[in-house]
Amino acid sequence: MIRYVPKAKYSYSAGQAQSVFLNGLKEKKILGTVCNKCKKVYVPPKMYCEECFKPTDGWVELKDEGIVHTAIASFVSWTRDRLEEPIISGTIKLYGSERDYVFPGMFHRICTTYDKVRDMSIIGAKVKAVWNEKRVGSIEDIQCFKEV
Amino acid sequence: MWSKKGRIEDLIFWKGNMEVEAYEYDEGNAGKKFIEGIKEGKFYGIKCSSGKVYVPPRDYCPEDMTEGNYVELTEPYLDLLTEVREDSYGNKLEKPIKVGIIRFLNAKGGIIVRVEGDAKEGDKVKVIKWEWPLVVGKA
Amino acid sequence: MERSANVYRYGLIHVEVRKVRKVAIIGAGMTKFARRHFKTPQELVQEASIKALEEAGLGYNDIDCVVIGSAPDAFDGVHQKGEYLFPAMNKPMTRVFIGGATGVMVPISGYYHVASGMCDKVLAIAEEKMSQARPHPQAVFRYIWDPILETPIGPNLLWIFAMEMHRYMYAYKVPKEDIALVSVKNKANAADNPYAQLGGRITVDDVIKSEVLVWPVNRLDVSPVSDGAAAVVMVSEDVARRYTDTPVWVAGVGWTLDNTEWTGRDLSYNRYLEIAGRMAYKMAGIERPNKEIDVAEPYDPFDYKELMHLEALQLAPKGKAAQLVKEGVFNRDGDLPSSPGGGLLGVGNPIAAAGLMKVISLYWQLKGTAGKMQVKKPVYTGVAQAWGDLMQASTVVVLRR
Ligand SMILES: [Zn+2]
């Protein structure tokens, strides 16, 4: 058996739309782009409307709150080590009605208890972003989404 | 809409690593045979039904996917030679190293080796160190 | 802000099948799926290929073109894995890759190689050797996410399945106990499969009491990590008639890719799979899938996925698949047997190879060579399917004898 340790380092470009989004987080703002033709709102923002295949038309600011679409509690780390305290995360629907198949949504940690994930009471609950004191223009500027 | 907000100085670059702890590669049957051969000071190749010999050996003949027979190969010659002055990360090496590919007459394929001394392309070579990576010099 | 329409273009299948050649599968081969094989990835590929060629009665020199599918290079730990895996020896070769959906994309690609008239005999291969990544193949999945917006939160692959499963449970009020029945069924089916890694008798209780990995996913809700390879030989009609009396025809193919915005999509239903399924059914002339499909091989890396896929493939009403499992509809002796060979849950999940394994299992059923796995009812038409990427890709094949 031959053992090898790869070392690959990257500098990922956030590009124009995501950079504006990340810089917005620094100011406690959740920014999205909107397509005037189909009215679709993109959060995280996109330069192009994927439905209409044309540039999006402008920026909109969304409230830093939404509805929990789904939630999970992870007892394993990314290397599959066992965690004592679960990491709770999920997707948050920022805007739209219950019946929408697509909507502006974010993936993030959710500040709640394991019990509320288990009994599903957190799904469908209203949550609000908890912002970090120190913000640098990263998805981590939001600590989590917490129930209101 | 982009001209106002999309200035270069506003763009963000995110530093990331693609890390895994390690990979563990299995040599497989033919790979084991080849590596054991090196330890014993021998080169093994595989002879197919067409008569062609491949080195390093494989479990199956690549041309028709039938099983072949192991054969020992002798008298390697240096087919390609180059000099390396930087490591994989772009740092200058204190002393350049020579690497090359050795081949065998009547066999397809070759083996990457370190080269010592003043062996030139086309020269017959002998193995100085039977370990990985192989070190060869002029025969 | 104006009310967003968020209308989704839906069900528009622009693909019209014009005059193309008929394509048959005349040989299939697999390695055993195992937690760890000590062969090289290339040797796994060759073992499966040789078996497929043997059944077809062809030698490698008879093959015109090669298709190979493998999931991320990072599993085997070799870049340009397609080229690395198979020495095509100067034959035209194509690698296909569409995440977890790759395994069924392989025969789809093989299909259009032959249907187009470009090749008469195609060797279509899928391989994955997941055991080489340390400390766990799970670590490799970290890099399938958006590196800026998602990876920093620390997700692993189990998370997206858990998120989908929980939304599915919430939307249709399906209890975990009902979902676990799929795992019980498939692992029991796999006990009769000579290639299986994890067949056996387990109970719903075993699943529920197994380790919680990422709630609501327990360890036995998940298919095992595996090494393995699979291959099929796909040929034109005249070649098929010459080499076999029992060809299995590719009646329809369909595949779709949605965008990467899984964070902004209803996770309880795989609409992109419905569209892929409709494309394949349309090509096969199938109007009522739940009546016309005799046996199904839906992709089941997790137990709930089989349910979601049966629903999106129009083989069960939305949210009702678990109820039908309970009633025994999907058992080997049921009205619409599903994963009679054991699926990924029982046979194992070497990603791309697992997808092709689903197609091969269906091929055995249609050919009548499934042995102890053979379903009770006579089978004429079946569907196999895979799914993948960031909850966005689907591939579907309809076979007919
Ligand atoms: Zn639009």
Side-chain angles (χ1 to χ4, degrees), chain A residues 34-40 42 49-57:
Chain A
V34 62
C35 167
N36 286 347
K37 192 172 165 210
C38 70
K39 306 284 188 275
K40 190 171 170 181
Y42 287 92
C49 175
E50 293 164 351
E51 307 284 337
C52 309
F53 212 71
K54 72 174 205 37
T56 43
D57 296 298

Side-chain angles (χ1 to χ4, degrees), chain B residues 37-53:
Chain B
I38 296 289
K39 281 184 196 153
E40 294 163 11
K42 287 177 187 166
F43 288 115
Y44 284 114
I46 190 169
K47 189 168 189 175
C48 301
S49 53
S50 65
K52 278 192 187 141
V53 177

